[in-house]
Amino acid sequence: MHRALGLALFFASIAAGCGGGGDGRLSQEEFQQQANAICEKYDKKIQALGSPQSPADVPAYVQKGIPLLRQGIAELRALNPPADVEDNYNRMLDETAKAIPAAEKLADAAEKNDAAAVQSAIKEAQQADDASDELATELKLDRCAAD
């Protein structure tokens, strides 16, 4: 169950997940600056939650973290990236969003003191985080890929 404490790092890394031409799209530089700023803002908010000190603390932590994660994803989705990176950007956000049901499963498993389910939820979340980080790195969104 002590691995559940790794959720704090997981949320931090996810939160750290962020005018061009006449079509209303951002230039590559604007896109990178704005997405990285959003990721950094939510990374700080997640870090401010502290870390669960025991498995019993995980459900409350998740309950506070999920709204921040949703808000960060919504702000990132509101950006209009350059067309050539839009597909990868949307995939990055979709992978990031997978952290929400994984975190809910983790909170439920921690509440039930189900070590196997905790490990499964952490693995699910880590896979989504790794996929999101890989895409963020490709997009040069270093604050969104930061662990």
Side-chain angles (χ1 to χ4, degrees):
M1 290 292 279
H2 71 282
R3 295 191 75 200
L5 299 180
L7 180 64
L9 296 174
F10 164 72
F11 265 124
S13 68
I14 293 293
C18 295
D23 60 1
R25 292 189 176 273
L26 297 170
S27 70
Q28 184 65 31
E29 183 178 329
E30 291 168 329
F31 165 65
Q32 289 170 335
Q33 288 175 346
Q34 290 181 30
N36 278 319
I38 292 167
C39 289
E40 186 169 7
K41 176 173 80 172
Y42 283 93
D43 180 45
K44 288 179 181 178
K45 289 182 179 198
I46 295 290
Q47 288 180 13
L49 295 177
S51 298
Q53 299 302 306
S54 73
D57 296 339
V58 171
Y61 179 82
V62 168
Q63 187 176 14
K64 292 175 188 173
I66 286 176
L68 294 174
L69 188 55
R70 283 189 174 127
Q71 290 167 3
I73 292 169
E75 284 188 35
L76 288 166
R77 285 205 191 274
L79 296 180
N80 196 6
D84 62 331
V85 301
E86 185 172 30
D87 287 343
N88 279 346
Y89 183 62
N90 287 331
R91 283 183 30 225
M92 180 194 89
L93 296 176
D94 291 345
E95 289 297 330
T96 302
K98 290 178 183 178
I100 295 170
E104 290 169 338
K105 289 177 189 175
L106 177 63
D108 185 55
E111 196 170 311
K112 293 177 180 173
N113 205 24
D114 184 341
V118 164
Q119 294 306 314
S120 177
I122 290 173
K123 183 178 178 183
E124 182 180 329
Q126 191 59 53
Q127 288 172 340
D129 183 43
D130 290 347
S132 176
D133 284 353
E134 184 177 322
L135 290 161
T137 298
E138 288 176 23
L139 294 165
K140 296 181 175 49
L141 302 178
D142 58 321
R143 293 302 305 154
C144 298
D147 284 325

